[in-house]
């Protein structure tokens, strides 16, 4: 009987999260209107490139009309790229190329993506390999997941990251390899990849990076025996306190509650959910 109030509390928090998601969608629409107004009087300079990229990203992230919105996003990314090249704005050009690649991935336009990968910078190639691999982890109404191919892409991205000594992208490839093995039910192998990143972030004194890796490891899949997941989440909770991040604390406590619920510990689940809900109301 104690499970019912626990579920009620968790559902209450989900209502808050859904409200935030709705607000985010509304914010995106409001941002698009603001950027469009700014573009009407903007000069052909770096600021205009950044506006076009921001507007393209807003359309890229929309979900109500994905075909039309991604087409619009691509047109805007092309405009940003053309202007960046014309005014020799190198970082804007790189950002526009990466965004175009992400759009091709979302559109599942493999031919265009492969043509693009031939001439992009090493960093953009790595980032697009990672994005392409991530798209293969999801089963959609158009295609099934393809984790074996995702592993190949993540491994290639990791090798290229080593070649150009890009630590951040290397660690992202390790995390994503960990995700694949967790999805395949191999906790130990998945954990091993994540621990490489977690230990590296600990040595660097990067609490936010360590927390992010712990959260990804502990929440990627459901667990039957959640002991190790809860241990990782408790460490993440400790780090969120050190960072003073109340939003993250709410998320982590919610996850801890679910893991305890999976283990049949409804009392602890209810306690974590109550604290999370109390924190969320103050944010």
């Amino acid at each position: 009987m104690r499970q019912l109030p626990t579920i009620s509390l968790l559902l209450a928090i989900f209502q808050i999260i859904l409200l935030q998601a709705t607000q985010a969608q509304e914010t995106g629409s409001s941002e698009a209107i603001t950027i469009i107004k700014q573009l009407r009087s903007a000069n052909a300079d770096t600021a205009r490139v950044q506006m076009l990229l921001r507007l393209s990203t807003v359309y890229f992230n929309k979900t109500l009309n994905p075909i039309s919105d991604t087409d619009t996003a691509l047109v805007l990314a092309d405009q940003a790229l053309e202007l960046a090249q014309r005014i020799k704005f190198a970082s804007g050009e790189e950002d526009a190329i990466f965004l175009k690649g992400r759009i091709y991935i979302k559109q599942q336009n493999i031919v265009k993506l492969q043509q693009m990968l031939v001439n992009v910078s090493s960093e953009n190639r790595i980032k697009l390999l990672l994005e392409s691999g991530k798209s293969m982890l999801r089963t959609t109404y158009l295609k099934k997941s393809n984790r074996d191919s995702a592993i190949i892409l993540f491994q290639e991205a990791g090798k290229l990251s080593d070649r150009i000594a890009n630590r951040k992208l290397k660690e992202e490839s390790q995390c994503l390899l960990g995700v694949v093995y967790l999805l395949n039910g191999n906790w130990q192998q998945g954990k091993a990849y994540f621990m490489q990143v977690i230990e590296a972030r600990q040595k660097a004194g990067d609490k936010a990076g360590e927390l992010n890796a712990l959260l990804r490891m502990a929440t990627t899949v459901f667990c039957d025996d959640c002991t190790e997941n809860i241990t990782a989440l408790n460490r993440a909770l400790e780090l969120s306190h050190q960072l003073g991040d109340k939003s993250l604390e709410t998320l982590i406590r919610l996850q801890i509650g679910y893991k305890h619920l999976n283990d049949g510990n409804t009392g602890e689940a209810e306690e974590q959910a109550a604290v999370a809900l109390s924190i969320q109301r103050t944010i």
Side-chain angles (χ1 to χ4, degrees):
M1 293 297 293
R2 283 182 58 79
Q3 194 167 348
L4 291 177
T6 303
I7 292 174
S8 297
L9 284 166
L10 294 175
L11 287 175
I13 295 175
F14 267 121
Q15 288 176 350
I16 295 171
I17 293 171
L18 288 172
L19 176 60
Q20 290 175 333
T22 301
Q23 291 172 337
Q25 186 75 20
E26 291 173 353
T27 301
S29 298
S30 174
E31 184 181 6
I33 293 170
T34 300
I35 297 171
I36 289 169
K37 289 179 179 177
Q38 292 172 340
L39 281 169
R40 289 172 183 159
S41 57
N43 296 321
D45 55 13
T46 59
R48 185 177 183 86
V49 173
Q50 292 165 341
M51 287 181 205
L52 288 167
L53 290 173
R54 282 169 50 209
L55 187 57
S56 176
T57 302
V58 169
Y59 279 98
F60 176 84
N61 289 327
K62 282 188 173 185
T63 56
L64 295 179
N65 193 346
I67 295 176
S68 174
D69 289 336
T70 52
D71 285 345
T72 301
L74 184 59
V75 170
L76 292 164
D78 272 328
Q79 291 178 5
L81 178 59
E82 187 277 330
L83 177 56
Q85 290 173 333
R86 180 152 49 89
I87 65 175
K88 302 187 187 310
F89 179 27
S91 64
E93 182 177 348
E94 281 289 286
D95 290 342
I97 290 171
F98 177 57
L99 183 53
K100 281 189 66 174
R102 291 179 67 205
I103 295 167
Y104 288 142
I105 291 168
K106 191 170 185 178
Q107 292 176 329
Q108 298 182 38
N109 193 336
I110 305 303
V111 173
K112 285 286 189 181
L113 179 64
Q114 289 177 337
Q115 290 172 346
M116 170 179 277
L117 286 174
V118 174
N119 296 313
V120 298
S121 66
S122 295
E123 184 170 320
N124 263 344
R125 179 177 178 82
I126 295 165
K127 288 160 65 177
L128 289 172
L129 287 171
L130 294 174
E131 290 293 322
S132 186
K134 283 192 285 186
S135 75
M136 295 178 180
L137 300 181
R138 299 183 291 269
T139 297
T140 67
Y141 69 97
L142 291 175
K143 64 171 186 175
K144 293 182 179 180
S145 63
N146 187 347
R147 294 173 191 167
D148 290 341
S149 294
I151 287 175
I152 293 171
L153 291 174
F154 296 152
Q155 288 174 334
E156 183 179 351
K159 291 175 183 176
L160 288 173
S161 299
D162 284 334
R163 193 176 303 165
I164 66 170
N166 190 311
R167 185 269 308 165
K168 185 176 181 180
L169 290 177
K170 172 65 174 183
E171 290 184 359
E172 179 62 13
S173 70
Q174 290 174 306
C175 284
L176 288 170
L177 283 166
V179 166
V180 178
Y181 283 103
L182 292 181
L183 291 172
N184 286 340
N186 189 337
W187 168 262
Q188 292 305 321
Q189 185 65 46
K191 178 184 175 182
Y193 276 108
F194 273 107
M195 288 308 299
Q196 293 178 56
V197 178
I198 291 166
E199 290 170 2
R201 294 301 87 221
Q202 286 176 337
K203 289 179 181 177
D206 179 5
K207 294 178 181 179
E210 180 188 353
L211 189 156
N212 179 59
L214 285 164
L215 267 181
R216 292 173 76 178
M217 180 179 74
T219 61
T220 292
V221 293
F222 291 107
C223 50
D224 294 322
D225 179 357
C226 298
T227 304
E228 289 197 74
N229 303 70
I230 292 171
T231 298
L233 287 168
N234 281 330
R235 170 59 181 164
L237 183 62
E238 178 185 339
L239 289 167
S240 74
H241 289 158
Q242 294 174 17
L243 293 168
D245 193 324
K246 293 293 184 181
S247 295
L248 266 177
E249 181 181 351
T250 301
L251 172 64
I252 294 165
R253 286 190 181 277
L254 179 60
Q255 289 293 340
I256 292 173
Y258 264 116
K259 302 309 180 189
H260 280 297
L261 196 60
N262 288 346
D263 278 351
N265 188 346
T266 56
E268 184 64 27
E270 182 177 310
E271 181 179 338
Q272 291 292 341
V275 174
L277 183 58
S278 175
I279 295 171
Q280 184 65 41
R281 283 172 175 161
T282 67
I283 297 176

